[in-house]
Amino acid sequence: MKAPRKPGRRAFVGTLTKTIGTSLLVTSPALSRAASQWTTPAPLTVGQIMELIIKTIPDAPFPKTVDTLKSGSPDTVVTGIVSTMFATVEVIRKAIALQANFIIAHEPTFYNHTDETNWLQDDRVFRYKQELLTKNNIAVWRFHDYMHAHQPDGVQTGVASRLGWERYADPKNSELLTLPAPQPLRQIIAHAKAKLGIQTTRVVGDVSQPCQRVLLMPGAAGGRSQITALQQTRPDVLLCGEVSEWETAEYVRDARASGQPLSLVVLGHEMSEDPGMEWLVPWLKDKVPGLPVTHISSGNPFSYV
């Protein structure tokens, strides 16, 4: 005959609860820990999630930053999070369909770097977008300065990983990549287009040029930053998101005319940084257990004719 089976831990806690009451159970540290294993995480607000993220950034919070709420309240209880490059009308609609009310966007929502809206108050496009956000109680937070200040830079990490080049990065400068062997520029372009889902690039240079040292600067760093980085690293090619055509493109053209084997490939702003916002999803999920976190690509706004 088998010995009577001993009650399990769950049965023991349940029996004890019935016997001595919930209040005593909660006051017992050991039993409280056991009971907490079966409770759901407390709801998080927009402000609490922002704080969770910001506290991981060196030297944060910053006294001056564009990373502010563009819509909604920090007190809103979050039902779901969407990461994206641009909080476009289409992205907002998709967030609504997902019942997600917190959008974390890398770039501006209202068409200028600081999201100033005084000049847009009578604009039909602005009012439609603002009303769509307000009606659906959606908060939009820009995550730009803090993301680039993260160690490592979240955008740079995401893009290099998507390209499969993270192991080629210089330990002292993640923007500089040294490929295992030289390869024709056309091969590098084809690889970048395939991995990043880009249809068309713009090139200053010779597509047959052998390239091994790649300066990867997604997004829009600006002409002076791009040219300074070219001076300091002396790569074979600069892959960037976008340029002011009178700045970096002209510098590279003159560099080539003076005998330097330097090329430029313009990938497009959204497509060059979007992998960084996708990288944010698993990074953030660990910090908000039980809360849905989804990446929605805002996509390239351009078509090519």
Side-chain angles (χ1 to χ4, degrees):
M1 180 177 179
K2 293 182 180 179
R5 185 176 180 181
K6 294 181 180 180
R9 180 182 180 88
R10 188 184 298 268
F12 168 73
V13 172
T15 302
L16 189 61
T17 302
K18 294 177 182 177
T19 304
I20 62 177
T22 303
S23 60
L24 182 58
L25 175 62
V26 172
T27 59
S28 171
L31 296 177
S32 295
R33 287 194 296 271
S36 67
Q37 294 176 9
W38 305 306
T39 60
T40 57
L44 291 171
T45 65
V46 167
Q48 287 172 327
I49 293 173
M50 290 168 58
E51 186 177 348
L52 280 173
I53 295 172
I54 291 172
K55 73 179 184 181
T56 69
I57 310 299
D59 302 319
F62 301 157
K64 186 176 180 180
T65 177
V66 296
D67 291 2
T68 58
L69 274 179
K70 313 305 178 183
S71 172
S73 165
D75 298 324
T76 298
V77 174
V78 177
T79 58
I81 302 171
V82 163
S83 78
T84 191
M85 272 291 291
F86 292 90
T88 66
V89 168
E90 288 301 320
V91 168
I92 295 167
R93 288 171 178 163
K94 290 177 181 178
I96 294 167
L98 290 171
Q99 298 184 331
N101 64 349
F102 186 22
I103 298 175
I104 300 177
H106 188 63
E107 296 297 6
T109 299
F110 296 118
Y111 324 118
N112 64 98
H113 184 56
T114 56
D115 283 291
E116 296 176 2
T117 60
N118 290 340
W119 61 291
L120 291 169
Q121 291 304 307
D122 296 325
D123 182 83
R124 289 180 295 176
V125 176
F126 163 73
R127 290 176 63 182
Y128 179 88
K129 190 174 192 178
Q130 185 183 54
E131 288 169 6
L132 184 65
L133 290 166
T134 302
K135 179 182 177 181
N136 291 279
N137 194 32
I138 293 178
V140 178
W141 179 47
R142 188 174 180 189
F143 185 43
H144 180 274
D145 298 350
Y146 288 126
M147 190 172 197
H148 285 300
H150 182 269
Q151 297 297 324
D153 181 316
V155 169
Q156 196 74 23
T157 301
V159 177
S161 178
R162 176 79 70 81
L163 290 167
W165 288 351
E166 62 269 36
R167 62 189 180 279
Y168 305 140
D170 187 319
K172 297 181 180 179
N173 181 359
S174 63
E175 293 179 342
L176 182 62
L177 312 170
T178 302
L179 304 181
Q183 52 186 276
L185 179 57
R186 67 166 58 88
Q187 186 173 330
I188 292 174
I189 294 171
H191 177 81
K193 287 171 64 178
K195 293 294 185 179
L196 300 178
I198 296 173
Q199 294 181 334
T200 303
T201 63
R202 294 193 294 167
V203 180
V204 178
D206 179 2
V207 294
S208 63
Q209 173 192 336
C211 296
Q212 186 171 17
R213 288 169 62 83
V214 178
L215 183 62
L216 179 63
M217 299 182 73
R224 181 166 294 191
S225 294
Q226 291 167 340
I227 292 168
T228 299
L230 288 171
Q231 294 169 338
Q232 293 173 344
T233 61
R234 301 181 66 85
D236 301 313
V237 60
L238 164 62
L239 267 62
C240 68
E242 67 175 83
V243 297
S244 296
E245 294 185 15
W246 67 89
E247 297 175 336
T248 307
E250 291 303 325
Y251 178 86
V252 173
R253 176 153 64 171
D254 284 347
R256 294 187 61 78
S258 67
Q260 294 185 41
L262 174 64
S263 291
L264 167 69
V265 179
V266 181
L267 303 169
H269 192 139
E270 199 278 346
M271 305 301 284
S272 74
E273 287 196 299
D274 187 58
M277 295 310 289
E278 191 170 15
W279 169 89
L280 178 65
V281 171
W283 180 85
L284 184 55
K285 277 185 175 179
D286 289 341
K287 296 169 176 56
V288 290
L291 196 60
V293 184
T294 308
H295 174 70
I296 298 177
S297 176
S298 51
N300 186 353
F302 298 101
S303 57
Y304 302 91
V305 179

